[in-house]
Amino acid sequence: MIEFLNETPLEKPLIFDTHAHYDDERFDEIRDKLLSTLTKNSVGAVISCGCDKKSSIKALEMAEKYDNVYAAVGIHPCNIDSGTTIKEIEKLASNKKCVAIGEIGLDYYWVQDNKPQQKEIFIKQLELAKRLELPVLIHDRDAHADTLEILREYKPKGVVHSFSGSPEMAKELIDLGLYIGIGGVITFKNAKKLPDVVKMLPMDRMLLETDAPYLTPVPFRGKTNHSAMIYFSAEKIAEIKNATTEEILKQTFLNAENLFLK
Ligand code: NI
């Protein structure tokens, strides 16, 4: 179920959601209502990510329809058998509203028996992004060591989304020039290392995201996530950073603009 947040206590659309999946079927009934009322819900910009050809095309269609929606196109590590080719991703990436290659990366949580293939597709897309001068949206689940090793070698510009590593890993990624994506998990009681990561993270390296429809922040955990919900993650981050929620939203908006829209 969707909770609309018409009373988000923000006067301006200060939220930049750098990672959402609005192609997800859970949005079928309400997608147009959500995307046509983003600014009314304090959301200034959204990147909808592709995970294969189909979802990448859907992301581009939404981006063409709505001014403040942008698209990322790519092959997710769980979808390397989808039949989508790098050539097809390259073609889709030529669309003006495509602002990144993603999401791409490694996922050893769901699949462990195809690590070499995952790495190969990840690396090919890092090379593609470099060639096209686009940033990347990186997915790293239970694959920290291999992800780091590849990023050290290829040094892309981009963000490690829904970051789940240690403060030490975050430090190394920042030194490589990458951004760290923080989402609803920061509001969870079992967020583990994430509060420490947020504590050490320089404010000019942080991006906010939903991963909608997943990872809905408290107090709506369990419901369908959407971009306006970032308000609650920002509120929690503000508490950790000893700042105001608006300050967090403004700075992360600026960061996302610098990375994706310039
Ligand atoms: Ni995602």
Side-chain angles (χ1 to χ4, degrees):
M1 200 191 117
I2 288 277
E3 295 282 342
F4 286 95
L5 301 173
N6 293 318
E7 65 282 4
T8 309
L10 293 169
E11 281 174 18
K12 289 183 198 147
L14 293 177
I15 291 169
F16 196 132
D17 183 357
T18 59
H19 193 114
H21 297 273
Y22 279 114
D23 62 290
D24 192 281
E25 60 185 23
R26 270 187 260 183
F27 292 116
D28 283 354
E29 305 283 306
I30 39 128
R31 182 176 297 113
D32 282 305
K33 182 170 179 198
L34 265 178
L35 297 182
S36 61
T37 55
L38 285 174
T39 49
K40 274 191 211 154
N41 281 292
S42 316
V43 181
V46 170
I47 299 175
S48 195
C49 315
C51 293
D52 57 10
K53 183 181 175 186
K54 193 174 159 212
S55 51
S56 296
I57 289 174
K58 239 174 148 180
L60 286 170
E61 282 169 1
M62 290 183 277
E64 281 175 347
K65 191 164 174 190
Y66 299 102
D67 277 350
N68 36 14
V69 176
Y70 298 87
V73 301
I75 307 168
H76 189 286
C78 293
N79 296 61
I80 59 173
D81 294 325
S82 64
T84 308
T85 65
I86 306 285
K87 264 243 137 56
E88 288 171 323
I89 295 300
E90 176 163 11
K91 216 169 161 197
L92 294 173
S94 66
N95 188 300
K96 268 191 194 135
K97 296 273 319 258
C98 172
V99 296
I101 299 295
E103 61 179 295
I104 64 176
L106 302 174
D107 192 314
Y108 298 164
Y109 177 81
W110 291 110
V111 211
Q112 295 88 23
D113 60 3
N114 65 353
K115 291 183 183 178
Q117 291 90 331
Q118 286 196 37
K119 287 187 200 171
E120 188 194 328
I121 300 289
F122 182 27
I123 289 170
K124 279 190 178 155
Q125 294 183 96
L126 290 175
E127 289 170 339
L128 173 68
K130 198 152 263 181
R131 214 163 55 236
L132 302 178
E133 294 179 359
L134 284 171
V136 290
L137 311 176
I138 299 158
H139 173 102
D140 158 26
R141 189 155 186 205
D142 289 358
H144 297 330
D146 285 357
T147 301
L148 252 180
E149 196 185 310
I150 291 172
L151 295 178
R152 269 186 214 122
E153 189 179 342
Y154 290 88
K155 299 185 181 60
K157 57 173 184 165
V159 55
V160 178
H161 113 84
S162 198
F163 183 72
S164 58
S166 62
E168 293 73 30
M169 182 178 175
K171 165 89 172 62
E172 186 166 357
L173 294 171
I174 292 160
D175 290 345
L176 286 170
L178 286 153
Y179 289 78
I180 304 292
I182 308 286
V185 175
I186 191 62
T187 67
F188 298 177
K189 278 217 172 72
N190 57 353
K192 293 184 203 154
K193 297 165 278 185
L194 201 54
D196 291 331
V197 170
V198 166
K199 215 173 274 171
M200 59 69 69
L201 202 57
M203 270 318 297
D204 62 353
R205 288 288 155 180
M206 186 193 292
L207 297 178
L208 299 186
E209 60 170 74
T210 52
D211 210 14
Y214 312 105
L215 300 177
T216 313
V218 174
F220 293 104
R221 196 173 177 182
K223 302 238 165 95
T224 299
N225 203 359
H226 61 90
S227 303
M229 297 278 187
I230 278 184
Y231 182 81
F232 301 103
S233 302
E235 211 176 22
K236 180 72 197 180
I237 293 166
E239 202 184 299
I240 296 170
K241 289 296 223 188
N242 212 356
T244 67
T245 306
E246 291 210 8
E247 281 166 349
I248 300 295
L249 290 171
K250 275 185 191 159
Q251 181 62 49
T252 50
F253 199 109
L254 206 68
N255 298 345
E257 272 186 329
N258 284 336
L259 179 62
F260 297 111
L261 305 185
K262 280 188 179 148

